[in-house]
Amino acid sequence: MVRMEAVPRKASGRDAARVAAVVVAPTLAAGVVVRRRSGMALAERYAVDRRAIGLLGELRRRYGPEPLRVQLAGRHFVLVLDPEDAIHVLDRTPDPYSPATREKRASLEQFQPHGLLISRGAERAARRALNETVLETGNQLHSLAPRLVRTVREEAGALLAATGGEQGELGWDDFARGWNRAVRRAVLGDAARDDTALTAMLSRLRAAANWSAAAPRRTGLRERFEQRLRAHVERAEPGSLASAMARAPAAPGTDPAGQVPHWLFAFEAGGIAAWRALALLATHTAKDTQVRNEVAVTDLTEPRLLPYTRACVLESVRLWPTTPFLLREAVRDTSWGDGTFPVGTEFLIYTPLFHRDDALPYSDRFMPEIWLDGTAQDTPGLFPFSAGPGACPGEDLVLFLSSTLLAALVERHTYLPDRPGRLRPDRPLPRTLDHFGLRFAVLPH
C-alpha cells in the first residue's frame, strides 16, 4: 500500500549529482533506444547496474522509502524507491502519470511520431485499443500462432545451418540477423524477409533517438523509412500482423502503420532476452535439462505454450531488464502525502533496483520457477514488461516468439559459451550482462 502520510523529501545537490553520474549517465551511455556496443561493454566491465542499485539503496536508507525529489539538468524528477509506490504510479497511467514524457517524445519522434508510447488523450486511447486488438493482449497463444511457429522454426533452422554444420560458432550478430528475419516475416510477411535495408534505416533512426532532443531530426531518412515500411504494411500479406491490422477497426487519426515501427523496435528486446536466456541455460545444467524435457514432449511444429521455456525468457528480463527506466510525467499537479508534485514532474522507476533487491532470496540467481509458482506475481516490483494500463501490449506475443525460438535452438543442439565463468550457478550472477559479448560453440545434441 502506498504511503501518503509524509511530504516526499528532496535530495541534496551532491546526491542529485551522484544520481546523474552513477544511475542516469551510464544507462544513457549504453543506449536507451538502441544499445551501443562500446557502451554495453563498458557497462559490464564497470558493473554500472550494481553501482546504481547500491547508490539508490543507500539513498533509500538515508532519506526513507518515500519518493525522492531530485533536480537533474534543471528539471524536476522524482526517484521512486519503493515497489508499492512504483505500482501506484504505473497503475495510474495515463492520468495523472503519462508515459509520454518530454524526453521520450523527443527521442521516439525520430522514428514513430504517431506511436502509442508518446501519445496522449483520445489519440492514445484509440492507438492503445488498436495495438491490443492486433497484438491480442492477454492471449498467450496468438491466433496467428501456426504461421508464426513455422516462421520462427524456419529461421532458427537457417541460423543453425549457417553456423557451419556439425560444429560451429554463434555470436550476437548472426543471431540478430536471424531474429530480425523472423520478426520482419511475422510483422510484415514473407516478402519482407530479406529487406535488411528497412531494419538498417530503423537502426539509424533509433541511434539518433538515443540522443533525445540533442539530435537533429532525420526527416529525410524517416520519410524514406516510412515509405518503405508502408509499402509492406499496405500489402497486408496473409498470416502477418499487417494483415491482422488491416482487418482491425481504427478511429480516424490512429495511423495504424505508424504503430509498426515500435513493434519492430520492441521485438529486438525479445531477441536480447532470448539470447541471454540461452547463455543462462548453457551454464545452468539443471534448468537446461528442464527446458529440454519440455521440448522433448512437445510437438514444436504446432503452436504450443512452453511454460518453463517462457519462464526462462521472463527470468532473463528480470535479471537484466531490457527497459531499465520506466518514466512517467505528471500531466497535472498531483498530491502525495502532504505535498504536491507540479505538472511536468517526471517519475523515474529504475527497475533493476526492485528486480535485484538484496532482500529477494533469488535476487542474483537464475530462477525461472518464480514465474510458475506464484512467487513473482506475489512480489511487488517485478515488472519485466512494465505494469498497469501502460504495460507492453505485446508482452504475450514477444514471449511466445522468443520462447519458440529458444526451444527451436535447444531442440537438437548444445551451446558452450566462450566465457562460462561469469554466469556460473554457484555464485551471484552479474547485474550487467553485455549481450554483444556472448558467443557459443554449437554442437549437435
Side-chain angles (χ1 to χ4, degrees):
M1 181 177 180
V2 66
R3 298 168 312 283
M4 291 292 195
E5 70 277 7
V7 178
R9 302 182 69 179
K10 182 177 181 180
S12 67
R14 177 178 179 273
D15 284 333
R18 294 172 68 203
V19 169
V22 177
V23 181
V24 178
T27 303
L28 296 180
V32 175
V33 182
V34 62
R35 299 292 183 265
R36 298 184 178 99
R37 193 178 293 265
S38 59
M40 284 300 302
L42 289 172
E44 181 181 292
R45 179 181 300 175
Y46 293 105
V48 297
D49 290 295
R50 182 172 294 279
R51 293 169 184 266
I53 294 168
L55 173 60
L56 294 178
E58 174 201 328
L59 297 180
R60 184 166 56 188
R61 290 189 294 273
R62 287 202 287 115
Y63 289 97
E66 291 77 21
L68 183 63
R69 295 180 295 154
V70 295
Q71 289 283 115
L72 297 174
R75 297 284 311 285
H76 294 284
F77 283 85
V78 171
L79 298 177
V80 181
L81 300 175
D82 182 87
E84 295 288 355
D85 289 345
I87 293 170
H88 172 81
V89 171
L90 296 174
D91 279 350
R92 285 155 182 79
T93 297
D95 187 353
Y97 307 117
S98 171
T101 66
R102 184 186 305 183
E103 285 77 16
K104 203 179 295 182
R105 294 197 306 272
S107 289
L108 300 187
E109 283 175 352
Q110 285 275 14
F111 63 93
Q112 51 171 31
H114 299 156
L116 165 64
L117 205 58
I118 55 174
S119 301
R120 290 186 175 180
E123 283 185 340
R124 180 191 183 277
R127 289 166 181 166
R128 178 78 193 191
L130 177 65
N131 275 267
E132 290 187 353
T133 297
V134 177
L135 301 175
E136 298 186 10
T137 305
N139 181 10
Q140 290 191 14
L141 201 62
H142 197 280
S143 61
L144 296 175
R147 170 71 174 267
L148 296 174
V149 166
R150 185 166 66 253
T151 293
V152 170
R153 287 184 58 79
E154 286 174 359
E155 294 304 335
L159 176 63
L160 290 169
T163 63
E166 286 298 305
Q167 180 173 339
E169 291 189 351
L170 183 61
W172 167 254
D173 290 339
D174 290 332
F175 175 88
R177 280 191 287 270
W179 174 247
N180 285 333
R181 286 193 295 268
V183 168
R184 287 193 297 268
R185 291 176 65 186
V187 175
L188 302 171
D190 291 348
R193 179 188 188 269
D194 297 318
D195 193 352
T196 56
L198 181 76
T199 301
M201 288 179 179
L202 179 57
S203 295
R204 290 167 61 193
L205 290 168
R206 290 171 58 200
N210 267 345
W211 297 97
S212 190
R217 304 292 94 174
R218 304 292 301 274
T219 306
L221 177 59
R222 194 183 80 202
E223 288 176 352
R224 294 192 299 275
F225 166 73
E226 289 180 345
Q227 182 179 18
R228 197 177 192 101
L229 176 66
R230 288 178 188 276
H232 287 300
V233 172
E234 290 168 5
R235 188 177 61 252
E237 185 176 309
S240 67
L241 291 177
S243 69
M245 187 164 61
R247 298 189 301 269
T254 302
D255 187 12
Q259 310 311 303
V260 177
H262 190 76
W263 300 352
L264 299 173
F265 161 39
F267 270 119
E268 181 180 271
I272 294 173
W275 183 240
R276 287 170 170 163
L278 185 65
L280 288 164
L281 293 175
T283 51
H284 291 70
T285 305
K287 314 296 186 187
D288 183 62
T289 298
Q290 287 187 255
V291 168
R292 292 181 186 277
N293 288 342
E294 181 174 70
V295 168
V297 298
T298 304
D299 181 359
L300 296 182
T301 64
E302 297 292 330
R304 295 285 188 270
L305 294 178
L306 299 163
Y308 194 83
T309 308
R310 183 181 191 270
C312 288
V313 179
L314 268 170
E315 182 68 345
S316 165
V317 185
R318 178 190 72 84
L319 289 164
W320 302 290
T322 50
T323 305
F325 285 153
L326 298 179
L327 298 176
R328 295 293 185 268
E329 182 177 321
V331 297
R332 51 185 167 84
D333 292 349
T334 58
S335 298
W336 198 298
D338 296 326
T340 300
F341 293 124
V343 61
T345 298
E346 291 200 26
F347 293 76
L348 193 159
I349 300 169
Y350 185 66
T351 54
L353 174 66
F354 307 125
H355 290 195
R356 292 296 197 101
D357 192 319
D358 288 331
L360 300 176
Y362 49 82
S363 172
D364 295 329
R365 296 164 56 202
F366 178 42
M367 289 292 292
E369 292 78 8
I370 68 170
W371 299 100
L372 301 172
D373 63 11
T375 299
Q377 292 79 357
D378 294 338
T379 304
L382 299 188
F383 18 69
F385 286 81
S386 189
C392 175
E395 173 180 354
D396 291 303
L397 183 56
V398 169
L399 287 172
F400 176 67
L401 290 184
S402 54
S403 59
T404 298
L405 176 68
L406 187 58
L409 291 177
V410 304
E411 183 180 12
R412 294 188 177 89
H413 291 79
T414 297
Y415 299 83
L416 305 177
D418 65 344
R419 289 191 293 160
R422 57 180 165 169
L423 298 180
R424 281 171 44 183
D426 59 344
R427 62 198 213 186
L429 292 169
R431 293 187 172 178
T432 306
L433 181 64
D434 172 22
H435 62 282
F436 293 111
L438 296 173
R439 191 166 191 84
F440 304 93
V442 183
L443 305 173
H445 182 64

